[in-house]
Amino acid sequence: HCWPQWDVWVLPFFLGAVLAASTGWWFLAGALLGIGVFFKGQLLMIAPFFVLWPLFDRRSESALRVVSGFATAAAAVAAPWVALTPAVQRWLIWYVLGTALLLVLAAGHGRRLLREAPALLLLTSATGFFLVAPRVGGSMAWYIVAYVGGAERYNYHMLKGFAATLPGFLEQCFHWAPRGVLLPLPTWLGLHRGITFEGLFTVLYFAGLALCAFGAARQAPRRDPRILAAFVAPWALLYTLMPFMHERYLVWAAATSTLLVALGARGVIVSVIISLCAWAPMVRTMIYFRPGFYFHLRQFLVSIHTDLIWIMTAVCAILVGVALTRREDRTAPATSPASPDTGLFSWFRRIW
């Protein structure tokens, strides 16, 4: 990282969520993500990975625990800023009591529902908090200022600074505006402006994120280290495909790419390439504010700007491909490493 920034706040929460999910603590993984999004909102773009991963592995209860942990932690962090008036507290108490009563009545129809009752109760309580509080006098200024305001402030150009991203390249070369209509659609579909360029790249990113989650679901039961590529690829895809990315955002992929060391020499090479692609735009930005220094280095960085875009596009394809493929010399173990255990603390682990 070339200069101190608050971008590094993302990494402890993401890596903690990866570790928790890999050991079967899905509720904790969601809770870490729910806390992390209040430090840096870009973590929201990666959070669906932790829901799709267990869903592709046909473990809906684990996906439920991720969502429950995320909602519970987010509600707990946001609660002091909502201004919990007596009306808000009264409505929340009735909502939680009603939800608990419904769960008790429905628990008799299935043991599985009873097992997931703690996660369901926490999820519905947190959902009720976000639904009820704004309607009975709770303040949502924390959401408007932190998320809506930040998103609308930098949504006029897909190219930000010297970021080597694919949307920025296409906007610069072909004048693709973020709100420009790529494919008009009939009005009866409800999309009055049709498919925009911003929407196209967003769909491409989430399609790549789904492939990464599918790769993690394939590799986890076999304990294949290629699952590490599935953890790194979303950050590379986020920088390369999403519009409105700043040049420093590739540092997340560069930091997490150190996990690729477990894949051998090829993984180390990919990690070094990502680190260099992250270093170049940030150094160019620093030199821009000191025009009298490093003139030849600046000219070199300008000349390789387009090359960095295609290199990162190829790196994304490589990472997704590695995450999806399997090694032929490995056999699947009898149980998944992320399957919950049983024992003295089995009841306590139901929440997690």
Side-chain angles (χ1 to χ4, degrees), residues 15-327:
L15 295 176
V18 167
L19 179 60
S22 300
T23 54
W25 292 73
W26 295 99
F27 186 92
L28 179 60
L32 289 172
L33 294 173
I35 298 173
V37 296
F38 283 87
F39 284 84
K40 194 69 176 172
Q42 283 78 4
L43 190 58
L44 272 172
M45 302 298 293
I46 308 295
F49 171 86
F50 293 90
V51 180
L52 295 175
W53 174 7
L55 285 179
F56 283 129
D57 202 18
R58 293 175 293 181
R59 288 182 290 166
S60 57
E61 66 280 357
S62 298
L64 172 64
R65 294 174 186 177
V66 173
V67 178
S68 177
F70 181 91
T72 303
V77 175
W81 308 98
V82 176
L84 295 177
T85 62
V88 176
Q89 297 176 14
R90 184 167 56 253
W91 276 97
L92 287 177
I93 291 174
W94 282 110
Y95 185 90
V96 172
L97 291 177
T99 302
L101 179 61
L102 290 176
L103 289 175
V104 170
L105 294 176
H109 297 280
R111 184 177 299 178
R112 183 177 181 182
L113 181 61
L114 180 62
R115 185 172 61 249
E116 301 302 329
L120 284 171
L121 180 60
L122 291 174
L123 174 59
T124 52
S125 301
T127 304
F129 169 78
F130 287 112
L131 292 177
V132 173
R135 289 168 172 78
V136 291
S139 174
M140 296 298 290
W142 60 273
Y143 170 75
I144 297 173
V145 173
Y147 292 94
V148 178
E152 293 181 350
R153 188 182 305 171
Y154 303 107
N155 62 353
Y156 299 103
H157 297 285
M158 292 189 288
L159 177 63
K160 296 298 180 183
F162 301 116
T165 64
L166 192 58
F169 170 77
L170 295 175
E171 180 188 31
Q172 196 173 28
C173 294
F174 303 102
H175 306 288
W176 287 14
R179 304 295 189 271
V181 178
L182 175 64
L183 179 63
L185 295 176
T187 55
W188 56 268
L189 291 177
L191 298 175
H192 301 289
R193 294 189 302 175
I195 300 177
T196 62
F197 295 108
E198 178 186 358
L200 171 65
F201 288 113
T202 303
V203 170
L204 290 176
Y205 164 72
F206 280 107
L209 187 69
L211 289 176
C212 295
F214 180 74
R218 281 172 57 90
Q219 310 295 356
R222 310 173 79 236
R223 301 179 182 268
D224 196 318
R226 293 192 176 202
I227 193 176
L228 299 175
F231 300 148
V232 179
W235 293 111
L237 290 170
L238 178 69
Y239 175 83
T240 306
L241 294 181
M242 282 297 293
F244 316 124
M245 291 288 108
H246 289 277
E247 66 279 345
R248 65 182 187 272
Y249 288 174
L250 190 56
V251 72
W252 298 321
T256 55
S257 67
T258 54
L259 298 173
L260 300 177
V261 173
L263 299 179
R266 295 178 182 178
V268 173
I269 293 174
V270 173
S271 177
V272 171
I273 292 174
I274 297 175
S275 298
L276 292 176
C277 290
W279 170 83
M282 289 191 290
V283 170
R284 183 181 172 186
T285 302
M286 296 174 67
I287 297 176
Y288 175 80
F289 292 102
R290 296 292 186 271
F293 296 90
Y294 305 105
F295 175 78
H296 296 289
L297 178 59
R298 179 182 179 183
Q299 293 300 108
F300 172 72
L301 295 176
V302 171
S303 65
I304 65 172
H305 179 80
T306 304
D307 300 326
L308 295 177
I309 298 173
W310 302 121
I311 290 173
M312 280 307 305
T313 303
V315 166
C316 290
I318 292 172
L319 290 175
V320 174
V322 171
L324 292 174
T325 57
R326 290 179 172 179
R327 292 183 178 181

